[in-house]
Amino acid sequence: METIFAFDFGVKRIGVAMGNTMIRQAEPVKVIAAVDNATRFADIAALLDEWKPARLVVGLPMHPDGAEHEMTARARKFANQLHGRFSLPVELVDERYSSAVIAAKRGEVIDDRAAAIILQQYFDTH
C-alpha cells in the first residue's frame, strides 16, 4: 500500500489531498497559502515528512479544448520543483473541470477539494 499526495497548484493557494493505493479514495487535506517559494515548500516538506507518500500527483490545468495556457507551464514547473526537492515520482493529471464540479459559494476556498478530485481522477485511471 502506498500513500499518494495530490496538489492543485495555484499562484495564491495550493490545495493538497491524499489517498492510498489500497482504499483508492482521495481526501482533502489542506490549503497552503502560496506566500513565497520558501514558505510554500516548507509547508509541503512538513506534510511529506509526516505522511511519507510514495508518489505525488499534480493537476495540469488546460483549456477545455486541451490547449495549454500560462498556468499549464506554471503547474509543470511546480511538478518539476517537487520532484527535484523531494526526489519522489511526480505525475501530471489533466485537471480540466476539477474546480467546476465542486458546489461552492462565491469566495469559498475549494483548492483542497479540487486536489481531491485530481487525485480521484488519478486513482480512477490507474
Side-chain angles (χ1 to χ4, degrees), residues 65-126:
D65 66 358
E68 297 193 5
H69 52 76
E70 178 191 348
M71 285 305 292
T72 311
R74 287 181 176 214
R76 284 186 197 281
K77 180 179 178 183
F78 175 68
N80 288 336
Q81 289 173 320
L82 287 173
H83 177 69
R85 287 175 184 254
F86 303 111
S87 299
L88 290 169
V90 178
E91 295 191 45
L92 296 167
V93 171
D94 182 347
E95 71 158 70
R96 279 178 278 179
Y97 312 115
S98 63
S99 297
V101 300
I102 299 171
K105 295 179 178 146
R106 185 180 174 103
E108 184 178 0
V109 176
I110 60 168
D111 306 83
D112 55 343
R113 290 188 280 163
I117 289 171
I118 291 163
L119 183 53
Q120 195 61 54
Q121 286 175 225
Y122 173 84
F123 285 140
D124 293 347
T125 58
H126 286 80

Side-chain angles (χ1 to χ4, degrees), residues 35-54:
V35 179
D36 57 44
N37 260 353
T39 305
R40 171 187 316 169
F41 284 109
D43 287 350
I44 292 169
L47 283 172
L48 300 183
D49 188 50
E50 178 182 355
W51 292 98
K52 311 263 190 278

